[in-house]
Amino acid sequence: MKALKNKALLTSMLFVASLKLYSQQISLPEQKDRWAIQPNGSITWQTNKSLPHADHIEMSAEKVSLWIDYRIDTAGVLRIIRKVVFPTFRMLPDETRSHITYTFQDNELPQIYINNRLLKMDISRRDQRGNLAFVPKKINHHSLMRITADAGTANGVEIERSLFPSVEKPMAVEKFVLRNTSDKAVRVSMEKLVRSVTTDTLQSKSSPHTIVMKTVNEGSRILAPGQSTVFSVCYFATDHPEKPLTIDPVAEENERIKRISNILSPLQLETPDTILNTAFAFAKIRATESIFKTKRGYLHGPGGLEYYAAIWANDQAEYISPYFAFSGDSVGILSAMNCYRMFAAYMNPEYHPLPSSIVAEGDAVWKGAGDRGDQAMIAYGASRFALAYGKADSAKVLWPLISWCLEYNSRHINKQGVVESQSDELEGRFPSGKANLSTNCLYYDALVSAAMLAGQLHLPQKQINEYSKRANELKGNIEKYFGANLAGFDTYKYYETNSTLRAWISMPLAMGIYNRSKGTISALFSPQLWTVDGLATEAGKETFWDRSTLYGLRGVLQAGATDQAMKFLQYYSRRRLLGEHVPYPVEAYPEGNQRHLSAESGLYCRIFTEGVFGMRPTGFDSFNCSPRLPEAWKQISLRNINAFNTVFDLKIERLAGKKIKITVTKTNGSHTSYSITEGSTIQIKL
């Protein structure tokens, strides 16, 4: 009887504890959208609403990155600051930030006249003083920034102003289309402007660099009713200013649209949620546009005015390259292979750590943070990429790097059986102890993938068994070393003496370790960690890094808490796509003021490929599929997946009785269907 009473008491206590944890689940605030999704997949803000407002966005291409700070004050006056980055035009010494960047303000623009009246960019409709005002009506984003305006009241001229990077040239373009909407002829003109600056010869790498601001198609013309004309201002860099550069702004715009169309065509997400579909498409743009053509080939770069023509073990090797294996973008594939090849060049028989980043088009390295767990990042990313890309020749090229990084980690196992590293990717911004959870989870997943990859490469069974053995041992040691109860949650401590909740407790979930999934999910979505902008880096701190939120959402989906994860994914996606700072995932705050670093967009896309659709590469032509279909949804699809050396569609449908139907359709029309119980996993062989 006493035992029964004790059991009843324990049950009651557990019930109360669960209620307490449930009550700690955060109530998401109501969101108000500033932007609206358009039928063509773009987003638009009607600029006469909710003023003042300021934001910034980055757009990138092979030889340039264009960062735009734009703001409209309460009087409706628009101000734009343009920062143009030229990643392959560099200064000395060779450093991460030795690229050249120039800023261009509105007051440097050539003057535009309509019927001999000056069109002023920086006055309001109410304060014209004899001039015409450029009055913005709406701003649109979709890989180009378009601003629609009129030239004051009753002047009969509509203006469309577009800003975008050239696809191949080291040039950004600002294009003005003036359209006569009146019933009378209108005279329009733009001044000719050529302004240049040349860098110091002694400080310039290779040769002095000349930066030019130049008008194209300037002059005066008369527009009949309904007629339009194009004026442009171009910002470019050259090492040969004596050679004239042929510029066709309209052709440049068309090439930009074509490049973005090629990015968007593969890997199309179809769900009942338009916001998720659109956010996914935008993330594909930012993830893929930020690839720069350097003397070492195509290199993906984070951007953010600081990180170009360089690679990092986290952003490129861990985050984005595994995504490119699904993306169908040939330039993305080249950038991934170049990334891993460049890191492989620094392997050494002494097993000194690889550099955290290789910068200045490959001419220098950065080792400022020591061993951040970079070898685990690289082994994880390269092995997943090799499996998903599905080509044995490429995998053979990557295998020496993968096996070297695994051996490096093996040599840093401590007495407790976990990997030690000097820091983590936050490089000392927050404490990480002697051994951290992130590095160990990445190493664990790398061992699992490497065992599969070794099998595909027909390596000795002894080697395959050794990797599997290490993975199993590490999984147990992660539980022993990091498993803990923090703030009432049965979850993980980030390092041995850690006593506060950290955002990266989601890493085990993302790597398929679910021992403490319930407590970890409760902690992630509790008021201690979840903020209006996603996961706080540490409970009680204002700092957030989107990368941990993106890993967290993916991990929760993989753990099977589908509807719970979806609620937070929908909230996050809406805020990033339609809120106050749009339209991509960001890096961090307060550091960098939420720059649109590009690899985070790759992590966003992986929430769907690996989380919602549950695709886990297992071989060159196979993957485990653990679909997570929200209860209210009947079906979802990923169209035109380019992975496992195949092009195919993946469709998930809800059947009666907790059954899920998975259909794989190849480009030749052949299809294979599977029926599984909701929440289970099936291996699909293509």
Side-chain angles (χ1 to χ4, degrees):
M1 184 65 71
K2 185 176 181 181
L4 287 174
K5 286 183 178 179
N6 288 340
K7 184 177 180 180
L9 179 61
L10 179 60
T11 302
S12 177
M13 290 172 64
L14 289 172
F15 178 72
V16 171
S18 66
L19 281 179
K20 183 179 179 182
L21 286 177
Y22 179 80
S23 68
Q24 290 180 346
Q25 298 301 294
I26 194 164
S27 177
L28 293 173
E30 182 182 354
Q31 297 196 70
K32 292 184 178 180
D33 300 337
R34 180 175 292 275
W35 299 78
I37 299 171
Q38 305 304 303
N40 67 350
S42 66
I43 61 170
T44 294
W45 167 42
Q46 302 294 335
T47 55
N48 61 342
K49 300 176 182 178
S50 305
L51 297 177
H53 177 60
D55 201 359
H56 54 86
I57 188 173
E58 184 167 13
M59 297 174 278
S60 305
E62 290 186 1
K63 289 286 185 178
V64 67
S65 203
L66 173 61
W67 186 89
I68 300 173
D69 179 295
Y70 60 101
R71 53 196 65 218
I72 300 180
D73 64 20
T74 52
V77 177
L78 169 69
R79 291 179 175 84
I80 296 177
I81 299 172
R82 310 147 194 79
K83 291 183 182 289
V84 187
V85 181
F86 302 101
T88 58
F89 291 77
R90 309 194 70 85
M91 306 297 285
L92 295 172
D94 280 326
E95 295 175 340
T96 302
R97 299 166 180 82
S98 60
H99 54 266
I100 61 174
T101 303
Y102 279 80
T103 301
F104 301 91
Q105 307 277 0
D106 281 340
N107 60 11
E108 298 176 67
L109 291 172
Q111 297 190 126
I112 295 175
Y113 291 86
I114 299 174
N115 284 336
N116 299 317
R117 293 178 66 188
L118 176 63
L119 177 66
K120 293 286 287 182
M121 300 295 172
D122 58 352
I123 63 173
S124 70
R125 188 191 301 267
R126 298 188 300 272
D127 186 32
Q128 296 178 32
R129 299 179 185 176
N131 299 314
L132 298 176
F134 180 89
V135 182
K137 295 190 292 186
K138 62 182 179 181
I139 296 177
N140 178 272
H141 288 312
H142 199 215
S143 78
L144 299 88
M145 180 176 175
R146 296 192 192 276
I147 306 162
T148 303
D150 61 38
T153 305
N155 285 286
V157 175
E158 183 180 76
I159 304 165
E160 183 183 84
R161 185 177 179 185
S162 303
L163 298 101
F164 56 92
S166 166
V167 171
E168 296 180 342
K169 297 182 180 70
M171 178 175 70
V173 178
E174 186 164 1
K175 184 168 73 74
F176 296 84
V177 178
L178 278 68
R179 182 175 295 103
N180 183 1
T181 59
S182 73
D183 57 0
K184 298 179 181 179
V186 174
R187 178 180 292 277
V188 298
S189 65
M190 182 174 75
E191 296 176 334
K192 180 177 182 177
L193 182 149
V194 180
R195 184 179 299 142
S196 67
V197 59
T198 301
T199 59
D200 178 16
T201 302
L202 294 178
Q203 297 298 314
S204 303
K205 187 172 182 178
S206 301
S207 65
H209 311 306
T210 300
I211 296 82
V212 181
M213 177 183 183
K214 181 181 184 297
T215 56
V216 178
N217 201 32
E218 70 280 347
S220 177
R221 60 209 64 146
I222 294 176
L223 301 181
Q227 195 174 15
S228 63
T229 192
V230 175
F231 297 135
S232 297
V233 182
C234 297
Y235 314 88
F236 62 90
T238 179
D239 286 345
H240 304 284
E242 72 283 358
K243 295 182 179 180
L245 180 66
T246 302
I247 301 172
D248 183 341
V250 174
E252 293 289 346
E253 182 177 31
N254 290 337
E255 284 300 307
R256 172 68 174 175
I257 293 170
K258 180 181 176 181
R259 170 62 177 141
I260 298 306
S261 177
N262 289 338
I263 291 172
L264 293 176
S265 180
L267 200 67
Q268 294 185 353
L269 177 68
E270 296 177 2
T271 78
D273 190 319
T274 303
I275 291 177
L276 295 183
N277 299 340
T278 308
F280 184 85
F282 268 89
K284 287 200 302 177
I285 293 173
R286 184 67 190 132
T288 313
E289 69 172 359
S290 191
I291 300 174
F292 304 101
K293 193 174 185 180
T294 75
K295 62 185 180 182
R296 303 295 177 92
Y298 286 108
L299 296 180
H300 186 275
L305 299 178
E306 300 200 24
Y307 310 116
Y308 302 90
I311 56 171
W312 278 259
N314 50 348
D315 290 65
Q316 280 65 53
E318 178 192 341
Y319 300 168
I320 196 72
S321 291
Y323 161 72
F324 284 140
F326 290 85
S327 71
D329 188 79
S330 59
V331 177
I333 293 293
L334 290 173
S335 76
M337 290 299 295
N338 284 337
C339 165
Y340 296 128
R341 284 193 189 100
M342 289 176 67
F343 277 117
Y346 290 89
M347 295 187 298
N348 57 85
E350 298 81 18
Y351 285 90
H352 297 314
L354 303 179
S356 298
S357 62
I358 303 170
V359 302
E361 297 188 87
D363 287 351
V365 299
W366 180 75
K367 299 181 179 180
D371 174 12
R372 312 174 306 157
D374 300 288
Q375 288 67 219
M377 300 174 191
I378 294 168
Y380 162 82
S383 55
R384 284 216 174 203
F385 170 84
L387 286 169
Y389 187 39
K391 296 189 177 181
D393 289 346
S394 298
K396 289 174 183 177
V397 171
L398 300 182
W399 181 254
L401 173 65
I402 294 167
S403 57
W404 188 93
C405 287
L406 294 176
E407 177 59 22
Y408 177 94
N409 282 284
S410 177
R411 293 181 179 215
H412 287 76
I413 297 284
N414 64 16
K415 292 180 181 179
Q416 290 81 23
V418 295
V419 182
E420 291 189 345
S421 57
Q422 292 170 287
S423 64
D424 63 0
E425 66 160 18
L426 290 184
E427 300 161 4
R429 294 174 178 88
F430 285 78
S432 59
K434 294 181 179 179
N436 66 75
L437 184 63
S438 179
T439 296
N440 279 273
C441 290
L442 290 168
Y443 177 44
Y444 164 76
D445 193 279
L447 287 167
V448 173
S449 292
M452 298 175 187
L453 185 58
Q456 295 293 293
L457 295 174
H458 307 293
L459 297 179
Q461 188 63 43
K462 182 180 179 181
Q463 188 174 9
I464 298 171
N465 293 342
E466 178 61 25
Y467 288 143
S468 297
K469 178 185 174 184
R470 289 187 198 175
N472 289 331
E473 290 176 350
L474 181 58
K475 183 178 181 181
N477 291 333
I478 287 173
E479 169 62 27
K480 293 175 186 176
Y481 191 89
F482 297 104
N485 188 287
L486 291 184
F489 298 99
D490 187 20
T491 183
Y492 300 92
K493 52 188 176 183
Y494 189 61
Y495 55 93
E496 187 177 18
T497 58
N498 173 221
S499 59
T500 55
L501 290 172
R502 294 283 292 271
W504 284 115
I505 57 174
S506 65
M507 286 298 280
L509 306 182
M511 305 303 154
I513 301 174
Y514 306 128
N515 307 39
R516 296 171 175 265
S517 60
K518 289 185 179 180
T520 300
I521 293 168
S522 294
L524 291 171
F525 295 147
S526 71
Q528 288 93 316
L529 278 180
W530 190 269
T531 74
V532 292
D533 273 298
L535 292 173
T537 300
E538 182 177 17
K541 301 292 178 64
E542 69 168 351
T543 301
F544 67 85
W545 291 68
D546 265 19
R547 55 194 66 179
S548 57
T549 299
L550 298 165
Y551 260 109
L553 292 169
R554 185 177 107 205
V556 174
L557 282 162
Q558 289 179 202
T562 306
D563 287 324
Q564 194 173 7
M566 191 57 62
K567 179 177 69 171
F568 288 86
L569 174 58
Q570 289 169 323
Y571 169 88
Y572 169 88
S573 301
R574 184 175 177 181
R575 183 173 178 85
R576 290 286 179 267
L577 179 67
L578 303 177
E580 296 302 293
H581 180 39
V582 302
Y584 308 118
V586 305
E587 180 205 24
Y589 179 84
E591 181 175 322
N593 191 27
Q594 302 188 59
R595 294 176 287 203
H596 284 139
L597 296 199
S598 55
E600 278 77 358
S601 284
L603 286 179
Y604 181 84
C605 293
R606 291 177 66 184
I607 292 174
F608 294 89
T609 55
E610 298 171 35
V612 176
F613 287 84
M615 302 174 71
R616 205 289 183 211
T618 57
F620 292 150
D621 62 354
S622 65
F623 60 94
N624 284 343
C625 186
S626 309
R628 305 303 184 198
L629 188 62
E631 188 175 350
W633 292 2
K634 292 182 179 180
Q635 68 178 46
I636 54 175
S637 297
L638 265 181
R639 305 288 186 188
N640 202 12
I641 303 168
N642 288 241
F644 308 103
N645 204 22
T646 310
V647 180
F648 62 100
D649 295 345
L650 185 62
K651 185 177 182 180
I652 312 297
E653 298 174 88
R654 184 177 300 285
L655 303 177
K658 295 289 184 180
K659 290 291 184 179
I660 296 291
K661 182 182 179 182
I662 303 171
T663 304
V664 176
T665 305
K666 298 183 181 180
T667 50
N668 62 8
S670 66
H671 65 272
T672 307
S673 295
Y674 310 84
S675 179
I676 64 171
T677 303
E678 187 173 4
S680 61
T681 299
I682 189 171
Q683 185 179 66
I684 293 176
K685 193 171 180 65
L686 297 168

